[in-house]
Amino acid sequence: MKIENPNPLQWRFSERASQMQSSFIREILKVTQQPEIISFAGGLPSPATFPVEMMKQAFDKVLSNNGKVALQYGPTDGYMPLRQWIADSLSTNGARIVPEQVLMVSGSQQALDLLGKVLIDEGSRVLVETPSYLGALQAFSVYRPEFKSVDTDEHGLIPSSLDKVAQGARLLYALPNFQNPTGRTLSAERRLELVETCARLGLPLIEDDPYGALSYKGEPMPKMVAMNPEGVIYMGSFSKVLTPGIRLGYVVAPLPLVRRLELAKQAADLHTAQLTQMVVHEVIKDGFLDQHIPTIRELYGNQCQAMLQAMDEHFPAGVTWTKPEGGMFIWVTLPKHINAMELLDEAIKQKVAFVPGAPFYANEPETNTLRLSFVTVAPDRIRTGIEILGKLLSARV
């Protein structure tokens, strides 16, 4: 029975809901779904790297051998064999990680939300790089912090700049490897200086590391969590080395914090999907990533070089860009008078898309910057798209 003539509802949204904003990148992706668009916009891994057959075999094996467990509710902290694998992979001679420090999450974006929920009050000071990962700014913004930008240069975050902004800060959020959006990598010397500085200041350091395995040279940089396991919170993900569709990430933290995160996760979704955790463990437990990741590095490295070579050929003087040694992104700085948002409007008319840089800044956005992602575009289309952008830029320089 349907109610006749109900009064219209008067929605009263929370103040928190009124602060929420759509991700600029997600909005651009709606445009780039058109096949004729050459998209350098999304930070999406290449579908060519997805191990479809391995995943299919693992699903079949898990469901055949242990289906009733895989399809049941699971523990909030996650599937123990997978947590043990993660703990072992992060442990070094000087720093032993135990599985009790590992919390499985529904993609590392959930880890950011949980960390914000547990560590940030309204008005809390949160330190971020300049620029920083848009997804982190979006996740933390829900809790209404006071963002303070930490100085950076062409080599990334400058540890010595922390003292002037660290007073009362709840955390520092950093991506040391092939950073999103700039592609920069923090040197081993700066990593040690950063960890020592945060330890001296009593400042929790979040080390977000979704791209660390994607070094084109195959040489991993030291992890900061190994330098101070009691002061560094490590975030990892299977999105860039297996597939993002499974939405599986993890956070490694000191025990007092990880227990709080577990309580926050219980309230959010009870637990991460047991089936996908068991499948991922089945795929990786015998060393599959050791053979798989080098193929991703080779693909991305070749496409990065194709883009860098095309930029050298087609971009005019006065435009500069980073030269990443891994990961998925190149950061471009234009002459001051060029607005990347206006350039995007013209580029889309020419069937090319990118992400303007301004949304990646917590404070004082630089409108003459943009991010290019090369991993989902074939080299010939990379060259075509960069040539189009070069002509648009040359007309404005």
Side-chain angles (χ1 to χ4, degrees):
M1 180 176 178
K2 185 178 180 181
I3 297 174
E4 297 292 334
N5 301 317
N7 289 326
L9 288 175
Q10 300 298 312
W11 294 106
R12 294 178 177 86
F13 293 113
S14 67
E15 289 186 26
R16 180 179 294 116
S18 68
Q19 300 292 316
M20 294 178 180
Q21 297 182 0
S22 175
S23 165
F24 188 82
I25 297 174
R26 305 303 296 185
E27 294 301 317
I28 291 179
L29 289 180
K30 296 177 183 178
V31 176
T32 62
Q33 296 303 309
Q34 304 169 35
E36 68 272 19
I37 297 286
I38 300 175
S39 177
F40 304 135
L44 311 176
S46 171
T49 68
F50 299 163
V52 175
E53 190 58 36
M54 283 292 296
M55 297 294 292
K56 179 181 177 182
Q57 293 175 14
F59 270 104
D60 288 345
K61 186 172 182 179
V62 168
L63 288 171
S64 296
N65 296 345
N66 215 358
K68 291 182 179 180
V69 173
L71 297 176
Q72 184 57 280
Y73 286 112
T76 299
D77 48 11
Y79 182 54
M80 177 55 80
L82 182 57
R83 292 163 62 213
Q84 182 70 63
W85 184 94
I86 292 167
D88 291 343
S89 70
L90 290 173
S91 294
T92 64
N93 290 333
R96 181 66 187 168
I97 304 297
V98 296
E100 289 75 19
Q101 292 176 258
V102 181
L103 175 68
M104 303 307 302
V105 289
S106 301
S108 59
Q109 192 67 23
Q110 185 184 51
L112 291 168
D113 178 64
L114 297 177
L115 287 164
K117 190 176 294 184
V118 167
L119 294 176
I120 301 173
D121 291 315
E122 183 174 351
S124 298
R125 179 169 291 192
V126 170
L127 309 185
V128 294
E129 296 169 278
T130 311
S132 187
Y133 171 49
L134 178 56
L137 298 179
Q138 190 178 25
F140 294 156
S141 290
V142 173
Y143 303 102
R144 306 172 78 174
E146 174 199 21
F147 285 117
K148 284 288 185 179
S149 298
V150 178
D151 292 343
T152 59
D153 60 18
E154 66 273 20
H155 303 295
L157 187 150
I158 303 173
S160 60
S161 69
L162 281 179
D163 284 281
K164 63 184 180 183
V165 293
Q167 181 65 37
R170 295 290 181 90
L171 60 92
L172 166 63
Y173 172 76
L175 291 96
N177 293 315
F178 322 120
Q179 191 233 25
N180 183 357
T182 66
R184 298 169 182 154
T185 297
L186 203 61
S187 69
E189 294 77 17
R190 281 199 181 181
R191 289 169 196 244
L192 180 58
E193 183 184 358
L194 180 60
V195 172
E196 290 176 342
T197 301
C198 288
R200 172 173 56 81
L201 295 170
L203 177 65
L205 169 59
I206 297 177
E207 179 183 12
D208 192 359
D209 190 26
Y211 311 105
L214 303 182
S215 166
Y216 304 149
K217 297 178 181 179
E219 299 171 0
M221 294 293 287
K223 290 179 168 48
M224 293 186 289
V225 68
M227 301 175 188
N228 183 17
E230 296 306 311
V232 177
I233 303 154
Y234 183 86
M235 290 173 48
S237 171
F238 292 102
S239 292
K240 307 305 187 294
V241 296
L242 283 179
T243 164
I246 55 174
R247 305 309 302 132
L248 189 59
Y250 51 93
V251 57
V252 179
L255 291 175
L257 174 58
V258 84
R259 293 285 77 82
R260 295 283 184 173
L261 295 172
E262 184 180 351
L263 292 175
K265 182 170 173 62
Q266 284 178 8
D269 64 355
L270 299 182
H271 68 94
T272 300
Q274 180 99 321
L275 173 60
T276 53
Q277 291 183 74
M278 294 176 69
V279 166
V280 166
H281 180 255
E282 180 63 34
V283 169
I284 67 176
K285 64 183 177 67
D286 296 322
F288 171 73
L289 291 180
D290 293 335
Q291 290 78 47
H292 181 60
I293 290 175
T295 66
I296 304 176
R297 293 171 179 155
E298 182 178 8
L299 176 67
Y300 290 0
N302 290 339
Q303 290 173 213
C304 180
Q305 284 305 307
M307 180 170 281
L308 291 172
Q309 290 168 4
M311 294 167 76
D312 281 333
E313 181 177 351
H314 296 292
F315 278 15
V319 179
T320 60
W321 54 88
T322 57
K323 295 177 173 60
E325 296 180 350
M328 302 166 57
F329 307 108
I330 295 172
W331 184 248
V332 182
T333 303
L334 311 174
K336 288 287 187 183
H337 68 277
I338 300 180
N339 186 304
M341 200 73 73
E342 296 173 359
L343 180 68
L344 175 64
D345 292 336
E346 292 300 312
I348 288 178
K349 293 176 184 177
Q350 300 291 324
K351 308 300 184 185
V352 177
F354 58 83
V355 180
F360 295 97
Y361 290 85
N363 304 294
E364 300 178 6
E366 296 185 10
T367 58
N368 64 319
T369 57
L370 60 93
R371 189 194 76 178
L372 300 174
S373 179
F374 43 82
V375 301
T376 58
V377 188
D380 58 333
R381 283 171 63 83
I382 287 175
R383 288 186 281 270
T384 299
I386 292 299
E387 183 177 1
I388 291 170
L389 287 181
K391 290 177 180 177
L392 291 173
L393 288 169
S394 296
R396 287 163 172 76
V397 172

